[in-house]
Amino acid sequence: MREQAAGEASAFALDRRNFDFLPDDQSAHWRQAFLRTRGTRAPPPTKLVIELLNSCNLDCPMCRVGEHGVDLSRKMPLSVFEATLRELPSVRTVRLNGLGETTLLRDLTEYLSVLNRLGRRVEVISNGTGALSDYQAIVEADGHVIISWDAAQPALFERLRRPARWAPLVLRLEEIAEAIAAGGKGRCSLLFTLQRANIGELQGVTALAARLKLSAVQMNVAKTPTNHWITDRFEAISSDVALAAEVASGCLVELLTPAQIAGVALTTGSRTHVAASRCAAPWDEAVIRWNGDVQPCNMFNPYVYGNIHRRPFTEIWSNAFAEVFRAKLNTPDAHPYCRGCVYMPEAYAPCPATS
């Protein structure tokens, strides 16, 4: 009885947290759909994105997670991490990233050892300030190190990744590349997040990756309240992508770009497009935050399916909160946070008046 009461209290809290976020009319549609939903046995995810630490040593203007300094108490315990992975044998790839810098964890190698023992492939998104030994451990496990790199001009890079310094981080990239070449395992690529201040920088970032013989450059787009800065300068953005594609085509760098941004097709450029005609993320992957919250995707939509400290992940994955989100996703009634996402080409129509 006590467990049932706790579950009902949790459901009420999630109702308020998820549906009160929505505009009034849309909130009513989603609540009605939720009441009609009983959950299904959704196939388990094949990928997890796990936020081990919700703290950062950089204070980037785009994110501001590191604004108040580093707090190592905001981490997922090792025991919770291992238990979650053991509950999900279907998961083959685990990406360690979130709103924080994973390599700040002093015991990161213990988390990596769990992944190795369980035979899971590891990807780590990092700002590049971690210890070389941590990056070496990732590539020695045939993992993928993804370094956030938002500019090709040192002064602009340091402004966007404050208080990082260009020269030491380029040296770190060189050292990671050397480790990969020496061991014949692992990958390192750059993650370029397009934002108002770095339009025109993708070509130079791709050239840097080519010089260091890194495997890829992936372009993401910053989540902002409006997309006017994209539409107003779309020609410049498109031209930069085309020039970056020319650089990539002359070397072994794979350039990954969205198929569209701000609802406009990005027709020029890359050898590989990462966006498709619909978003499949909530069927393929889940995000688990440091505090146990389970969320839909690695764009960190605030919608929450549940919390692994209250319910098993397998139950959360197929509950009514998860099913309503999936049912609404690729429709005009998609969650507001999804609207304008570079991976959601169909998310620009107005919300319907009825559910």
Side-chain angles (χ1 to χ4, degrees):
M1 181 69 71
R2 197 172 292 171
E3 182 178 349
Q4 179 182 355
E8 290 171 354
S10 176
F12 177 75
L14 285 175
D15 176 287
R16 296 292 301 275
R17 178 173 178 177
N18 289 329
F19 302 145
D20 284 0
F21 175 90
L22 304 173
D24 289 345
D25 288 349
Q26 193 175 22
S27 176
H29 311 156
W30 279 55
R31 279 195 167 98
Q32 290 166 11
F34 175 80
L35 292 173
R36 294 194 299 266
T37 301
R38 292 295 176 266
T40 62
R41 300 294 293 179
T46 57
K47 182 173 184 175
L48 281 184
V49 179
I50 299 182
E51 180 184 61
L52 292 185
L53 182 68
N54 181 234
S55 187
C56 191
N57 57 338
L58 300 187
D59 180 21
C60 304
M62 178 186 67
C63 175
R64 304 308 308 273
V65 170
E67 179 181 7
H68 301 295
V70 174
D71 181 357
L72 295 179
S73 69
R74 297 173 66 85
K75 78 169 189 175
M76 177 181 288
L78 180 64
S79 59
V80 173
F81 178 73
E82 181 166 1
T84 300
L85 293 177
R86 290 189 180 280
E87 185 185 355
L88 292 168
S90 64
V91 169
R92 305 316 309 159
T93 300
V94 177
R95 172 175 285 187
L96 303 179
N97 84 283
L99 301 179
E101 174 53 37
T102 302
T103 64
L104 288 172
L105 290 174
R106 298 187 182 96
D107 55 350
L108 177 59
T109 54
E110 295 184 37
Y111 290 81
L112 297 176
S113 295
V114 169
L115 291 168
N116 287 337
R117 288 200 307 273
L118 298 179
R120 312 300 171 88
R121 182 174 179 270
V122 61
E123 300 173 349
V124 177
I125 294 183
S126 170
N127 61 26
T129 63
L132 177 60
S133 58
D134 285 338
Y135 297 124
Q136 289 172 328
I138 294 164
V139 300
E140 286 169 4
D142 205 19
H144 188 181
V145 176
I146 305 167
I147 304 293
S148 295
W149 206 275
D150 294 335
Q153 301 177 63
L156 178 58
F157 177 89
E158 292 178 358
R159 179 158 63 88
L160 295 178
R161 311 295 295 178
R162 61 193 184 197
R165 291 293 174 258
W166 170 271
L169 291 187
V170 171
L171 176 60
R172 178 66 80 238
L173 286 180
E174 293 172 345
E175 292 169 333
I176 296 170
E178 289 171 2
I180 292 170
K185 294 193 297 184
R187 298 177 62 202
C188 181
S189 61
L190 301 181
L191 176 63
F192 174 84
T193 300
L194 179 69
Q195 49 201 286
R196 191 192 305 268
N198 69 354
I199 294 173
E201 292 290 301
L202 181 62
Q203 178 189 9
V205 171
T206 306
L208 175 65
R211 178 172 71 80
L212 297 178
K213 296 182 172 57
L214 306 182
S215 62
V217 175
Q218 180 168 330
M219 172 184 166
N220 196 3
V221 181
K223 188 76 176 172
T224 55
T226 68
N227 288 324
H228 297 307
W229 61 275
I230 296 175
T231 53
D232 291 348
R233 299 198 60 194
F234 188 82
E235 185 176 343
I237 294 169
S238 182
S239 175
D240 187 34
V241 172
L243 292 171
E246 290 181 13
V247 173
S249 67
C251 60
L252 297 178
V253 174
E254 185 178 20
L255 181 64
L256 300 152
T257 68
Q260 59 80 47
I261 52 175
V264 182
L266 193 62
T267 56
T268 58
S270 77
R271 296 163 55 185
T272 306
H273 287 88
V274 296
S277 61
R278 62 187 294 275
C279 178
W283 286 267
D284 299 335
E285 69 180 33
V287 170
I288 304 180
R289 303 293 305 277
W290 72 279
N291 62 356
D293 282 348
V294 179
Q295 295 178 302
C297 73
N298 65 5
M299 297 302 285
F300 293 92
N301 189 309
Y303 190 92
V304 175
Y305 297 161
N307 188 288
I308 58 174
H309 298 301
R310 288 182 173 270
R311 288 285 186 269
F313 178 92
T314 50
E315 180 181 323
I316 293 169
W317 177 250
S318 295
N319 70 15
F321 288 105
E323 286 304 300
V324 167
F325 186 91
R326 295 185 186 110
K328 296 288 189 180
L329 179 59
N330 291 295
T331 77
D333 200 19
H335 194 280
Y337 190 89
C338 299
R339 305 174 67 77
C341 176
V342 296
Y343 303 106
M344 283 286 292
E346 299 166 353
Y348 296 91
C351 293
T354 60
S355 61

